[in-house]
Amino acid sequence: MPGSIDQENDQSMMDAAPEQQHEQEAVLELEDKRIVVLPGATETAASFQFDGEGHTLGNALRYAIMKNPQVEFCGYTIPHPSETKMNLRIQTYDTTTAVEALEKGLDTLMDLCDVVTDKFTVARDEFNASKVDRMES
């Protein structure tokens, strides 16, 4: 498709200096996982579009990313309520890149979800055990 984001990124990779190619390759890897980098991205400021996501991921991911002291700004928008897309904007200080901040935020969010799942499972098992004890009494 002419003018698609993939073609623009492929062309910009060919034009990029070798030190910038590594970051752009990392960005392209994200695209395979329903994440597209929107045009106008720089090393420390980028907008990402998540396909099939909404406020649930947007707000939680924004919170996790803003916990990173190397992040200057992070915000998300839902461009239109009838589309299942979420845009996330990340701006970092010079100590890290926007892609690294996104990856760290996603890892932090996954760790948080693991903790919630573990605590829920323990509480559910305790509840079920107490229910069985009451039935036996």
Side-chain angles (χ1 to χ4, degrees):
M1 176 158 93
S4 73
I5 292 173
D6 289 335
Q7 286 177 341
E8 289 172 11
N9 283 338
D10 290 345
Q11 182 60 41
S12 66
M13 265 190 80
M14 287 185 256
D15 296 339
E19 62 274 0
Q20 292 175 337
Q21 286 182 353
H22 174 69
E23 183 204 343
Q24 290 178 342
E25 287 171 4
V27 170
L28 292 176
E29 287 176 21
L30 292 174
E31 290 181 16
D32 294 337
K33 298 178 176 120
R34 298 182 342 198
I35 303 173
V36 176
V37 179
L38 298 177
T42 65
E43 201 170 299
T44 59
S47 294
F48 305 90
Q49 186 170 71
F50 290 70
D51 189 33
E53 299 297 340
H55 290 286
T56 303
L57 178 65
N59 195 37
L61 188 55
R62 181 203 56 80
Y63 175 80
I65 291 171
M66 281 304 297
K67 288 293 197 180
N68 183 344
Q70 298 172 340
V71 173
E72 184 176 8
F73 171 81
C74 182
Y76 81 96
T77 62
I78 305 298
H80 194 277
S82 67
E83 294 181 38
T84 56
K85 294 183 188 292
M86 183 263 299
N87 293 344
L88 182 78
R89 174 79 177 171
I90 301 173
Q91 290 175 216
T92 65
Y93 297 107
D94 291 335
T95 55
T96 191
T97 68
V99 172
E100 289 170 350
L102 175 61
E103 289 172 347
K104 185 174 181 179
L106 288 168
D107 288 341
T108 300
L109 193 54
M110 286 191 303
D111 292 343
L112 180 65
C113 289
D114 290 341
V115 168
V116 170
T117 300
D118 292 344
K119 289 188 180 236
F120 172 80
T121 302
V122 167
R124 183 199 59 204
D125 293 345
E126 288 174 358
F127 175 78
N128 287 339
S130 71
K131 203 163 109 175
V132 169
D133 290 343
R134 281 184 282 167
M135 292 176 118
E136 291 176 356
S137 299

